[in-house]
Each structure stands twice: as structure tokens, then as C-alpha cells.
Amino acid sequence: MKTINSLLLGLVLAACPFAESLSQSAGDAQRITVRSNMLGIGGTRVLDTYLSQEHFSGFGLTFLSTSEYLRNNRCWSTLVEHEANISSVHDRADNREELEGAYNLYLGRLRTWKLLDGRLALQAGGMANVTLGVIYNTANGNNPAQARFALNIMPVGAATYRFQLWNISFTARCELAAHLAGIRFSPNYGQSYYEIFSCGNYDHNVVPTTTLSAPEWRTVLTLDARLSKRVTLRLGYLGNFQQADINSIKQHVYTHRALIGITKSFSIIPRQL
């Protein structure tokens, strides 16, 4: 995971117009990494009219890894998040089952404003999101699965507040992101995957999207409690609400997760030459 994060960070910095300011050694500020790994459990709701007209609901598990890279005298930071999800859902009559799995990668750049003597940090910026996933209907003979692929651009905002209570240092954070525009893969209504990949019959299968055709909203709420110099407990909530209405096919995947994990911070002081 560390290797993947390092490669992704390099790509983000190379493509970002603010990369030069981050790579400058003037002042050689501390490079700080805040990393958390969390497990989540909670409800999932799925609809995909390519597979079934029924609504499915059940429970799922999520692994969420978050890394934020910043310098203590810079106002820009880089955010990298890996979100892997798997769910088992049933129809309302509990006769049919669907299995849903997805991996979401989020790469963001955020501008920070510090208030209240540094206790409050407000952040705003943008992020790119790649979604890879599948929905599998165990009752379907033909076309039992629906692939999910999307590339989105999302505005993102966050607020972080640090406070003391019962001689324990707490950090509360709220992160919000919404879909603005992107592209998405989808078969057309009545089109099989055999036609797409074996026969090569393209039929509007890569579709530009906006917040109107594929609205998405993501909320991450966390509370860190620093229990010792090395251990910081993180509790949180993840709500990821993805939906689309493309090629006469409606789809939504709504997930609610209660999160628990550990947060670590690393500081590196560049060596003077």
C-alpha cells in the first residue's frame, strides 16, 4: 500500500500546477504524513435495472485507507484514499441475491485555511475518482453481471477541529465530496456483454456524465482520540451514494458504514545540504 501511495503521489504532484511549490526546498519545512486504516460495517442498497427491476438491500464491509501529505509551512496538501467494498444484498421477498463489490480511488488537492489559533482548519479543492466494480445477480442465467467503471471529477471540502477533553487530544473531521463531471461505462438497454466484447458492437457504451445524469455524494465523518504517543483511535462514518441513469438503465449503490481504525502521523525533516 505504501508503494502504491508513493506512486500515486508522484503522479498527482507531476500533474498538479502547485507541484513546484511543494517540491521547493526553501526553508526545508517538515514533511508530514497523516495515515489511517479503517474497517467499516453497515447497510447497502443496490438497484441495477440491467440485471433486475427489484431493489436489493443488505449488509457489507469496507476497508478505507486515507493518507494526507502536507508541509507545515505550505497551504496545499495532497489527499489519497483507497476504498474497497463488498456487500451481499437480497430482494424484498428474500428470494434472490446480488453480490456487489467495488474499489474507489480518490486523489485530491486541497487548499487549507487555519483559524482559531490553528485549532480549526478549513479545506477546499478537487479530486479525481476512479470506480471499478461489479454487481452479480445469482439468479440470472443470461447477463448475470454488470460491470462498473467510472472516472469522475469531484469538488471536495473538509473541516478539521482539534480540542482537549478529559486530558485527551481529540480531532474531529468532516469531509464532503460531490460528482461534477466525468465518463462512465454502461451497456445500452437490451445489449449483452457478448455483443460488446465478442462482436465489437459499440452502442454508446462510454458516456460523458454530469451531476444530473450520475449524481454522487460522499461523506466521511471521523473522530480521533489520541490514547498515547503512538496510538490514535479513529471512529467514524462513511456514506457513499452513487447513482446513474444512462442508456435507459438505472443504477444506484448506497452504502452506510460505521468505521473503526488507527491513525498515525509521520514527520520528516529534510536534510540540509
Side-chain angles (χ1 to χ4, degrees):
M1 187 69 72
K2 292 181 180 179
T3 302
I4 295 175
N5 284 353
S6 299
L7 292 173
L8 294 173
L9 176 60
L11 292 174
V12 171
L13 294 179
C16 180
F18 303 100
E20 183 179 356
S21 65
L22 282 178
S23 62
Q24 290 174 349
S25 60
D28 283 333
Q30 276 189 320
R31 292 196 293 262
I32 302 170
T33 299
V34 180
R35 180 173 295 140
S36 70
N37 292 312
M38 292 176 286
L39 291 175
I41 185 170
T44 303
R45 293 180 58 85
V46 175
L47 169 70
D48 191 299
T49 58
Y50 181 79
L51 301 175
S52 172
Q53 298 295 322
E54 277 289 337
H55 291 259
F56 289 74
S57 60
F59 286 89
L61 299 172
T62 293
F63 171 75
L64 178 62
S65 174
T66 301
S67 298
E68 186 171 10
Y69 305 89
L70 62 154
R71 295 196 182 196
N72 60 354
N73 68 344
R74 298 286 192 265
C75 57
W76 287 90
S77 64
T78 299
L79 184 65
V80 181
E81 296 185 323
H82 303 270
E83 181 184 323
N85 174 76
I86 185 168
S87 300
S88 174
V89 292
H90 299 80
D91 64 2
R92 288 171 287 187
D94 201 19
N95 293 326
R96 291 184 291 177
E97 180 185 18
E98 287 186 344
L99 302 176
E100 181 272 332
Y103 166 71
N104 286 277
L105 169 64
Y106 299 92
L107 298 174
R109 290 285 284 156
L110 294 94
R111 172 67 158 84
T112 302
W113 294 268
K114 293 187 177 180
L115 306 171
L116 304 178
D117 296 326
R119 296 194 309 274
L120 176 64
L122 301 179
Q123 295 175 290
M127 64 169 49
N129 162 230
V130 179
T131 298
L132 296 171
V134 64
I135 302 172
Y136 177 74
N137 190 305
T138 59
N140 284 5
N142 295 323
N143 296 331
Q146 168 74 299
R148 300 176 64 209
F149 170 76
L151 174 62
N152 301 322
I153 300 298
M154 308 175 72
V156 58
T160 304
Y161 183 69
R162 296 174 175 83
F163 60 97
Q164 289 272 345
L165 189 63
W166 305 307
N167 293 322
I168 299 175
S169 296
F170 290 92
T171 301
R173 179 178 172 86
C174 174
E175 179 186 324
L176 306 173
H179 173 238
L180 179 64
I183 58 172
R184 187 182 186 95
F185 167 81
S186 174
N188 215 318
Y189 186 79
Q191 183 186 28
S192 68
Y193 278 83
Y194 175 79
E195 294 177 82
I196 300 173
F197 296 108
S198 296
C199 301
N201 295 334
Y202 176 83
D203 189 9
H204 202 237
N205 300 125
V206 178
V207 185
T209 60
T210 67
T211 189
L212 298 179
S213 61
E216 180 177 341
W217 181 263
R218 183 173 184 263
T219 303
V220 184
L221 305 174
T222 59
L223 178 66
D224 288 1
R226 188 173 182 180
L227 304 181
S228 69
K229 290 183 178 181
R230 294 187 177 183
V231 178
T232 298
L233 176 67
R234 172 168 287 190
L235 303 176
Y237 163 79
L238 169 66
N240 200 338
F241 312 102
Q242 301 177 342
Q243 65 183 68
D245 188 353
I246 297 172
N247 291 341
S248 301
I249 296 173
K250 293 183 179 181
Q251 181 187 98
H252 70 232
V253 178
Y254 303 150
T255 58
H256 300 270
R257 297 289 187 265
L259 302 170
I260 184 170
I262 298 295
T263 301
K264 294 183 178 180
S265 297
F266 309 90
S267 297
I268 300 175
I269 301 176
R271 185 174 56 187
Q272 298 287 344
L273 298 178

